[in-house]
Amino acid sequence: MDLPTRTSLQPTTAEMPHIQWIAILGLFLLAGLIRFSYVNSVVIDSPWRADAGKYVTLSVNMVAHATYSLARDAPFTPTHYITPGYPAYLALLMRSAETISEFNLWALNSQATLGTLSVILTFLLGRAAGGFGVGFGSSLLLAVSPHHIASNGYLLTETLFTFLVLAASWLTIINWQSQRRWMWFSIGTVAAMAALVRPVLLIFPLVIAIPMLLLRFPPKGVVNIVLYVTAGMIVINLPWIVWKNTHPAGPEPSLFATAVHLGGYPDLIYKDPALKGFPYQEDPEDSRGATTTGAFQLIAERAANEPARYLQWYLIGKPIMFWQAENLGAVGGAFIYPIIDSIYNSQAWAAWSMNTMMALHPWLALTAAISGAYIVWRALAAASSNPTLLLSATLMGAFTAVHMVLTPLQRYAYPVYPFAYVLAAFGIAKLVHTLATQLSRKSN
């Protein structure tokens, strides 16, 4: 398949000057230093609570009882509620550890490793999007992002999912020009691993199809690529599908229905603002949201009575909540579960970096959104466009759109922060270049 010549990427990393190599090495060391310092010193209040507790329980049952169950005691009834990607990752570490404390240590340090590698992948994507400056700027933002650093310290899906999304995206950019079919299949397998960690990435074939269509790829070629990627995803998902069909679960809620139902409360409040995030606790009709059909029907009925309120919530309120810096609940800040001690309250430089990034976050998100809209507009106008920027804009837009239907919890946006940082760094670089050019012309 012939590709448009205007989609060429940046030079390979082998062509970087020595000073740039030194800068990247310093960035890599900075990212690792912060992450390993954090995970080896953080003290979390009840770290295996809520979702983290479910993941650990599933992992223990996989290792100790060769089953996939949320039960703490026999009989170990199978569950379909949570996809097995992250529990399987933890189970691999648990199988090699001799004690629970050793397992926890390995799990957190492995996540610090993945977090550091994610910074390098962000640099590679940023460089492909706009050169060394964009790559360094976007990866520096991720290196000091308190949200990503803090997520390394929880046994939650954010770190592993972010790494896999970045890996699938980088492989996509590598294969953008060569168009090797086996590579598209392999990209599908990586995307499927990510989807087993968090099912939202089942949309990945659509995500890569949109930039290709915007860049005027032949529709037949796009269909073939999507089929190869989909085939790779099916192969990886097949064992899970077969297992579910051969191991029926007992009565349990639908994760999708739960997300739709909770996301149907404007501002995640039913009546009492003190129960924000937990509106179902006072809703007498909460049981109707147990199924997907029931959740949509309940939301539709309430929206018919207050159309303006629900329209504002779904079109404006949800995207704002999804991209806000402060996590929902009493914890606040970049933390998901309460922190007793960490480098952020014991080290002045760490506290300063967190406060700075929290203050910059809304401006970075806004800059990324404007840059993404600009990139898509240029592509629609048949102007020159960069595939990495289009892929970043598509991912940012797709995740936002999905959570405009589901619950817009802030931590669900963490995996697309790297792409937002690429877009923000590109937008800032372009603005600086434009201003410098205008000043140069006036001075001449």
Side-chain angles (χ1 to χ4, degrees), residues 193-204:
M193 293 177 194
L196 285 174
V197 175
R198 196 179 286 176
V200 66
L201 211 69
L202 290 171
I203 65 174
F204 195 70

Side-chain angles (χ1 to χ4, degrees), residues 201-219:
L201 211 69
L202 290 171
I203 65 174
F204 195 70
L206 175 64
V207 166
I208 62 174
I210 291 173
M212 290 177 176
L213 292 171
L214 288 172
L215 289 169
R216 311 302 190 270
F217 275 51

Side-chain angles (χ1 to χ4, degrees), residues 23-28 30-31 34-35 115-127 131-145 148 166 357 417-423 425:
I24 290 305
L25 176 60
L27 180 63
F28 182 79
L30 173 66
I34 298 175
R35 281 157 177 76
T116 305
L117 293 174
S118 294
V119 172
I120 299 303
L121 286 171
T122 302
F123 165 75
L124 295 173
L125 285 166
R127 186 168 187 269
F132 178 84
V134 173
F136 187 84
S138 56
S139 54
L140 177 61
L141 289 170
L142 186 66
V144 298
S145 167
H148 275 262
L166 282 166
M357 285 298 293
Y417 278 18
F419 304 95
Y421 291 155
V422 167
L423 290 168

Side-chain angles (χ1 to χ4, degrees), residues 30 34-35 38 140-147 149 334 343-345 347-361 364 421:
L30 173 66
I34 298 175
R35 281 157 177 76
Y38 179 83
L140 177 61
L141 289 170
L142 186 66
V144 298
S145 167
H147 301 88
I149 294 166
I343 60 173
Y344 286 116
N345 55 21
Q347 302 289 331
W349 64 268
W352 178 85
S353 71
M354 168 177 272
N355 292 334
T356 301
M357 285 298 293
M358 294 294 286
L360 287 176
H361 180 85
L364 291 172
Y421 291 155

Side-chain angles (χ1 to χ4, degrees), residues 143-320:
V144 298
S145 167
H147 301 88
H148 275 262
I149 294 166
S151 69
N152 292 167
Y154 298 112
L155 295 187
L156 295 171
T157 60
E158 277 68 38
T159 297
L160 178 60
F161 186 65
T162 300
F163 173 77
L164 291 172
V165 174
L166 282 166
S169 300
W170 176 236
L171 290 173
T172 297
I173 296 305
I174 289 177
N175 200 43
W176 197 270
Q177 290 184 317
S178 57
Q179 295 294 312
R180 290 164 290 188
R181 295 178 180 179
W182 66 268
M183 189 72 169
W184 286 121
F185 181 87
S186 300
I187 290 166
T189 64
V190 177
M193 293 177 194
L196 285 174
V197 175
R198 196 179 286 176
V200 66
L201 211 69
L202 290 171
I203 65 174
F204 195 70
L206 175 64
V207 166
I208 62 174
I210 291 173
M212 290 177 176
L213 292 171
L214 288 172
L215 289 169
R216 311 302 190 270
F217 275 51
K220 183 178 178 181
V222 175
V223 170
N224 287 336
I225 290 169
V226 167
L227 288 176
Y228 276 106
V229 173
T230 303
M233 297 187 73
I234 290 173
V235 167
I236 297 298
N237 274 282
L238 192 59
W240 171 237
I241 295 170
V242 171
W243 189 90
K244 287 197 296 182
N245 288 330
T246 55
H247 296 77
E252 58 183 358
S254 161
L255 189 60
F256 180 76
T258 300
V260 170
H261 178 45
L262 179 56
Y265 294 96
D267 298 316
L268 302 188
I269 297 171
Y270 179 62
K271 289 183 180 179
D272 186 358
L275 291 175
K276 183 172 184 175
F278 308 95
Y280 45 82
Q281 292 183 1
E282 61 170 341
D283 185 358
E285 295 186 284
D286 172 61
S287 59
R288 291 181 57 190
T291 65
T292 302
T293 302
F296 278 121
Q297 287 178 343
L298 181 61
I299 293 168
E301 290 173 8
R302 291 175 174 176
N305 294 326
E306 298 180 278
R309 183 185 180 208
Y310 276 79
L311 191 64
Q312 188 276 337
W313 165 237
Y314 274 87
L315 296 183
I316 301 174
K318 278 194 171 188
I320 290 176

Side-chain angles (χ1 to χ4, degrees), residues 317-338:
K318 278 194 171 188
I320 290 176
M321 179 177 286
F322 186 62
W323 283 102
Q324 73 180 40
E326 293 281 337
N327 267 304
L328 186 67
V331 180
F335 302 113
I336 301 169
Y337 301 154

